[in-house]
Amino acid sequence: MWFSFWRSRDRFSLDELRYLTNQLQKVQIVNDVNKDFVIEALRSIAELLTYGDQHDSSFFEFFMEKQVMGEFIRILKISKTVTVSLQLLQTISILIQNLRREHAIYYMFSNEHVNYLITYSFDFRNEELLSYYISFLRAISGKLNKNTISLLLKTQGEEVVSFPLYVEAIRFAFHEESMVRTAVRAITLNVYHVGDEFVNKFIASAPHSDYFSNLVSFFRDQCINLSKLFSERPKNPCSESVSAMLAKVDEIEDNLYYFSDVISAGIPVVGSLITDNILQLLILPLLFPALQIDADSNLKIGAVTSLYLLCCILRIVKIKDLANTIAAALLYPLETFAANSEVKINGYVSGNNCANESEEPLVDSVTPVNAGQLCVDIPNKATSSQVHPGGIIAERDFSCSHLSLRETLLSYVTDGDDARALGSLSVLATLLQTKELDESMLDGLGILPQRKQHKKLLLQALVGEGSGEEQLFSFESGSARDSISSELDGYLKKLKEQYGVSIGGAAASPRIRRNQDSYRNCRSALVQETKGIWVDLLITVLCDQWKKCKRAIEASSPRKEPKCILLPFQKLNSEDIPAESSFTAGERMSELVKVFVLLHQLQIFSLGRTLPEQPPIQPQIDIPEISRARAAGLDVSGPKPGTEAKFVHALPCRIAFERGKERHFHFLAVSVGTLGWVLLAEELPLKQNYGIVRVAAPLAGTNPRIDDKHARWLHLRIRPSTLPFLDAPKSGTPGETRIKSLVDGRWTLAFRDDKSCKTALSMILEEINLQNMEVERRLKPVLDLEL
């Protein structure tokens, strides 16, 4: 029978379709003998119907008349080979995808044939069969609209009681194969975006609504795995570990974009389900407790990963209730969440009500999350005028968790490592840029820019609301207010009633000065750097950091994706650099300047002022007439090897750069503005009292010292002239920049007598003092910011 299939006929004709159909109807069992004919017949029928849909409607009329869909189902039932099942699924998928006529799709979806295939017991242990089946479901979902979806439903009255396409698809929502998960998500989105009221009610009702809690639980597990990869990276700092972490980051962000796509379908109940589950299963029990300053090693998620995830959730999942609830929760003491971080993997917490966080939970006694009350006290609600990004507690006990989450974020900015500082700043910046967040929430958190506060008070004054006019024109405009907006109060109430975070009386929470402490501490440290080893580069580094920070603050959105929080920071890999070296001091100076510039610009930004292009630094002055540099005939560019210098204050000395090879020089220390050098010059034989500079080294950091046993010997430390990481190359392994190891040099100068040695010491100290004073003078405007 099947051999006649190969006879010569017009391939794209109704006769061909009739012939193939007749041959299929004669098949009584499908086995290894005739399976090839059946497979080729199914494939050819799909091809003919697709051709007919575009050229001749009689093809599909024949398909309906002969009830070929029923024949397909019969073939499936009598088939004993998986290859026929594969071809049948592919054939129907091709038909559904390519049929353009609306009545053709209606026919395909009617008579329960498609639903029969959807619910058929395929052997999904065969991965290829599963792939074809999921593609089949996806093809169906691509043709859904408010008319066609009804053909795939079973209803009682106006209530949907069965929807096989959706129910069977979400069975594979958490399959180990990512392509299957992606396809299932595409199917669900096609269902959600139809916008059928009764279907929406079906998917939001139990047990189908469990899909959303399972979805968040699956996402939570991915977050825990990401944190594990991040914590293990220092032990295995190779490119493969970074790649694995980035792959997990992509999965996590894909999950969040899926949440966002689901929400965009506009199903209010589903949006609430996602919000509640993200808060109850992830943010409240895991992300917030992870922000402890003294983190518990048993926490499933680390602080840096938590900060990254908070940024991503706020940026991608655009739900107003979710954003505002997160913001309101930041006002709670960290201990609120730290004491209740033992959430079970299935969404339960221990039965104790957390009156004492040191108590051991009853492992076998569990109650639902909503039943467990988080009993805490809320600190006095502060407004922007009380706390700003620069503010932090000068003296605090990090061993306790009485800081609010907001204060913890601010403490990371000033006292945390690079990753936590960047993460906290990213969270604060994301909050500022989250359009779903009410301005009153930013005001309650103390990060609402003052120009927006002024605008708000002006509006209140114009419409005659409250005391807006008094606050607007008072000396302490925007100063401490005892109440915050009803919006914030509403979300605090929601945290209590819906998520079990109860509000107690006034708590003994540390008071934070407006924004002074950390900035002043940093300013004091910077003043000390004007007497430090790298004083000559201090202004250069500050100007460079000013430009970088200004660009970042004024950017309309963060310059980097949140994933940069997790990536290793560019650190120098120079071996055997001692802690007391000038190189280490230079790193400390550079980091201090970064923090100072950031806090300084945040002060200006929060006051609503415009950031200047350059820091307010005094201009340099000409070389004074009475100075060693002027007497030596040097100009503002300073000395270079080969420069001619006059020996007015120079002192003869000897030094050996190599063992046994002593050389005679004249020593001179000079400063020119913020720069300074120690010079060794060779006397010109034909020009009395003049010489040629042979060696010039930085004056700063020389740390001059007369030898304890030899009063004519003067010891100097000679540091490099620049910091290599200021121009570090952007290459190599992520997070690591290899540099040439630069170590400090040591000079021992031998003078003619004790007096000459002491004179040289005094010369160096005097020039260092002049250099330090000039740097401090030029920095005075930037150090004297009016707070």
Side-chain angles (χ1 to χ4, degrees):
M1 172 194 67
W2 48 90
F3 296 106
S4 61
F5 173 75
W6 301 106
R7 71 183 184 182
S8 178
R9 289 183 304 277
D10 182 4
R11 184 179 177 191
F12 293 102
S13 66
L14 187 58
D15 287 341
E16 177 73 3
L17 178 60
R18 183 179 293 110
Y19 170 77
L20 292 173
T21 304
N22 290 337
Q23 294 300 314
L24 275 183
Q25 289 172 341
K26 295 177 182 179
V27 174
Q28 299 302 312
I29 188 169
V30 180
N31 52 33
D32 290 340
V33 178
N34 63 355
K35 67 178 181 179
D36 291 338
F37 161 73
V38 173
I39 290 171
E40 185 60 27
L42 292 172
R43 187 197 64 77
S44 297
I45 288 173
E47 189 176 26
L48 284 166
L49 289 173
T50 301
Y51 171 83
D53 187 65
Q54 300 174 21
H55 299 92
D56 188 347
S57 62
S58 63
F59 281 61
F60 199 80
E61 289 171 2
F62 176 84
F63 180 82
M64 293 188 292
E65 178 187 347
K66 296 300 181 179
Q67 298 186 17
V68 180
M69 275 294 290
E71 280 300 313
F72 288 168
I73 300 299
R74 188 183 68 83
I75 292 295
L76 178 64
K77 290 178 179 178
I78 64 175
S79 173
K80 298 185 180 300
T81 61
V82 71
T83 52
V84 173
S85 298
L86 290 172
Q87 184 58 55
L88 182 63
L89 288 172
Q90 186 183 49
T91 294
I92 300 178
S93 297
I94 291 172
L95 287 176
I96 293 172
Q97 286 174 329
N98 292 284
L99 291 176
R100 300 178 181 177
R101 299 172 189 248
E102 193 172 9
H103 79 279
I105 294 297
Y106 286 173
Y107 175 79
M108 293 292 293
F109 285 4
S110 61
N111 301 319
E112 286 294 308
H113 293 314
V114 168
N115 273 345
Y116 180 84
L117 287 170
I118 291 173
T119 56
Y120 187 80
S121 298
F122 292 104
D123 184 3
F124 292 125
R125 289 175 296 181
N126 185 304
E127 294 181 2
E128 189 178 12
L129 182 60
L130 174 60
S131 176
Y132 277 66
Y133 176 77
I134 294 296
S135 297
F136 165 64
L137 298 185
R138 188 168 186 174
I140 298 170
S141 71
K143 295 294 183 177
L144 293 180
N145 56 44
K146 287 191 175 181
N147 296 320
T148 58
I149 197 171
S150 61
L151 301 172
L152 301 173
L153 306 173
K154 288 184 180 179
T155 60
Q156 290 181 359
E158 293 187 343
E159 183 178 352
V160 176
V161 295
S162 176
F163 187 10
L165 173 65
Y166 182 77
V167 172
E168 295 302 317
I170 62 176
R171 284 178 54 205
F172 301 97
F174 311 109
H175 193 272
E176 60 184 8
E177 176 56 53
S178 62
M179 292 183 66
V180 173
R181 297 197 302 268
T182 301
V184 170
R185 292 178 182 184
I187 295 166
T188 58
L189 290 175
N190 287 336
V191 171
Y192 302 149
H193 282 276
V194 169
D196 185 280
E197 177 184 353
F198 301 107
V199 172
N200 292 347
K201 188 179 295 185
F202 174 82
I203 64 178
S205 62
H208 317 295
S209 59
D210 290 344
Y211 169 66
F212 300 104
S213 59
N214 293 336
L215 194 65
V216 176
S217 296
F218 179 78
F219 176 69
R220 176 191 60 193
D221 293 341
Q222 287 185 315
C223 295
I224 293 171
N225 290 336
L226 173 65
S227 185
K228 184 178 179 182
L229 287 173
F230 179 79
S231 63
E232 291 176 350
R233 194 196 66 216
K235 304 173 188 175
N236 185 27
C238 60
S239 58
E240 288 79 7
S241 66
V242 175
S243 298
M245 189 173 65
L246 290 177
K248 184 61 67 176
V249 163
D250 290 340
E251 287 184 24
I252 283 174
E253 294 187 4
D254 285 345
N255 272 280
L256 290 174
Y257 279 113
Y258 174 62
F259 291 153
S260 179
D261 291 340
V262 172
I263 293 158
S264 69
I267 309 174
V269 178
V270 170
S272 297
L273 285 171
I274 291 176
T275 296
D276 292 344
N277 282 292
I278 288 178
L279 286 167
Q280 290 181 327
L281 298 179
L282 180 63
I283 294 177
L284 298 179
L286 288 182
L287 300 192
F288 284 164
L291 299 179
Q292 298 176 59
I293 293 173
D294 294 326
D296 185 349
S297 60
N298 294 322
L299 291 174
K300 293 183 174 67
I301 291 181
V304 176
T305 307
S306 174
L307 293 168
Y308 158 74
L309 291 169
L310 287 172
C311 281
C312 285
I313 290 170
L314 287 168
R315 289 186 66 184
I316 298 173
V317 186
K318 299 185 180 299
I319 305 178
K320 181 176 180 180
D321 271 1
L322 179 61
N324 284 284
T325 304
I326 291 173
L330 295 179
L331 292 172
Y332 282 78
L334 181 55
E335 62 188 2
T336 303
F337 310 99
N340 291 273
S341 61
E342 304 89 358
V343 173
K344 305 296 181 184
I345 199 68
N346 58 1
Y348 286 82
V349 293
S350 56
N352 61 333
N353 64 359
C354 310
N356 186 342
E357 61 183 339
S358 65
E359 292 179 1
E360 290 293 327
L362 300 177
V363 176
D364 296 325
S365 175
V366 296
T367 55
V369 170
N370 287 344
Q373 294 293 308
L374 309 182
C375 304
V376 299
D377 290 335
I378 295 299
N380 293 333
K381 293 174 272 189
T383 60
S384 300
S385 57
Q386 293 170 305
V387 182
H388 278 269
I392 199 61
I393 304 166
E395 298 181 19
R396 54 185 175 274
D397 180 9
F398 282 148
S399 63
C400 68
S401 299
H402 295 297
L403 293 176
S404 71
L405 283 168
R406 172 191 59 185
E407 294 160 4
T408 302
L409 290 178
L410 298 177
S411 72
Y412 282 155
V413 173
T414 54
D415 299 309
D417 57 26
D418 287 346
R420 295 189 186 198
L422 176 59
S424 297
L425 284 171
S426 297
V427 170
L428 294 171
T430 303
L431 286 168
L432 283 168
Q433 293 161 350
T434 301
K435 295 179 180 179
E436 292 73 26
L437 201 60
D438 293 328
E439 283 191 359
S440 57
M441 307 298 289
L442 295 176
D443 197 18
L445 287 173
I447 58 174
L448 181 67
Q450 192 167 30
R451 61 179 179 273
K452 290 191 175 182
Q453 295 178 48
H454 190 82
K455 178 181 177 181
K456 179 180 176 183
L457 294 174
L458 177 60
L459 180 61
Q460 290 175 350
L462 290 174
V463 299
E465 290 184 1
S467 57
E469 184 174 359
E470 296 175 10
Q471 295 186 43
L472 179 62
F473 298 107
S474 67
F475 174 74
E476 299 201 359
S477 174
S479 60
R481 298 187 288 270
D482 294 330
S483 62
I484 54 178
S485 69
S486 58
E487 290 92 343
L488 180 53
D489 286 330
Y491 282 103
L492 291 173
K493 183 178 180 181
K494 183 175 182 178
L495 277 165
K496 175 185 177 182
E497 296 179 352
Q498 190 166 341
Y499 303 113
V501 184
S502 64
I503 303 176
S509 178
R511 291 297 299 265
I512 303 179
R513 296 183 183 179
R514 180 172 175 186
N515 39 26
Q516 318 302 343
D517 292 330
S518 62
Y519 177 74
R520 285 176 174 163
N521 291 340
C522 194
R523 176 189 178 279
S524 298
L526 191 65
V527 170
Q528 292 301 314
E529 285 296 333
T530 63
K531 302 174 178 63
I533 297 175
W534 293 93
V535 62
D536 50 341
L537 288 184
L538 190 57
I539 292 177
T540 301
V541 172
L542 189 142
C543 291
D544 180 59
Q545 292 301 325
W546 185 276
K547 294 176 184 177
K548 293 178 180 178
C549 190
K550 183 176 185 293
R551 284 197 301 267
I553 286 181
E554 293 181 343
S556 58
S557 61
R559 291 175 59 83
K560 296 182 179 180
E561 292 295 316
K563 70 177 71 173
C564 72
I565 299 169
L566 299 172
L567 295 177
F569 283 81
Q570 293 294 325
K571 294 185 178 180
L572 299 173
N573 185 9
S574 185
E575 300 176 354
D576 302 324
I577 297 179
E580 68 276 7
S581 72
S582 65
F583 181 89
T584 305
E587 283 190 313
R588 285 197 301 266
M589 181 272 288
S590 182
E591 291 301 314
L592 173 65
V593 170
K594 287 181 185 178
V595 175
F596 172 81
V597 169
L598 172 64
L599 293 176
H600 187 96
Q601 291 192 2
L602 284 175
Q603 304 289 335
I604 298 173
F605 182 75
S606 64
L607 293 172
R609 300 175 185 170
T610 301
L611 290 175
E613 291 297 325
Q614 298 289 340
I617 294 176
Q618 295 280 18
Q620 64 182 12
I621 59 175
D622 294 333
I623 302 176
E625 290 295 330
I626 303 177
S627 67
R628 291 186 176 91
R630 178 73 72 180
L634 302 177
D635 56 25
V636 292
S637 64
K640 298 179 180 62
T643 301
E644 186 176 286
K646 189 175 182 180
F647 290 165
V648 176
H649 301 279
L651 298 169
C653 67
R654 291 174 291 121
I655 184 172
F657 292 112
E658 299 178 50
R659 183 180 295 275
K661 294 183 178 180
E662 210 172 59
R663 297 180 61 182
H664 292 264
F665 290 105
H666 277 68
F667 172 79
L668 183 64
V670 296
S671 63
V672 178
T674 61
L675 305 176
W677 301 267
V678 287
L679 308 176
L680 297 177
E682 286 184 338
E683 187 174 9
L684 288 173
L686 301 180
K687 196 172 183 180
Q688 191 175 9
N689 294 326
Y690 281 87
I692 297 295
V693 175
R694 296 302 182 191
V695 182
L699 174 67
T702 48
N703 191 26
R705 177 179 61 84
I706 295 177
D707 190 86
D708 295 335
K709 297 180 179 179
H710 303 85
R712 295 182 298 163
W713 291 5
L714 182 64
H715 298 290
L716 302 180
R717 175 177 62 185
I718 305 299
R719 44 143 262 234
S721 59
T722 187
L723 288 167
F725 55 78
L726 294 180
D727 302 306
K730 297 180 180 179
S731 60
T733 303
E736 183 178 289
T737 300
R738 293 216 170 256
I739 62 166
K740 182 179 180 180
S741 180
L742 298 179
V743 297
D744 296 334
R746 301 289 173 180
W747 287 4
T748 299
L749 302 174
F751 292 92
R752 291 176 176 175
D753 49 43
D754 299 359
K755 182 180 179 181
S756 296
C757 188
K758 290 179 180 178
T759 302
L761 175 63
S762 298
M763 184 194 312
I764 294 173
L765 296 176
E766 287 173 10
E767 294 299 317
I768 287 177
N769 186 54
L770 291 172
Q771 182 183 22
N772 296 347
M773 289 173 59
E774 176 60 12
V775 172
E776 190 168 0
R777 181 195 70 81
R778 292 191 62 190
L779 288 177
K780 191 174 189 303
V782 79
L783 293 171
D784 289 346
L785 173 67
E786 182 181 353
L787 297 175

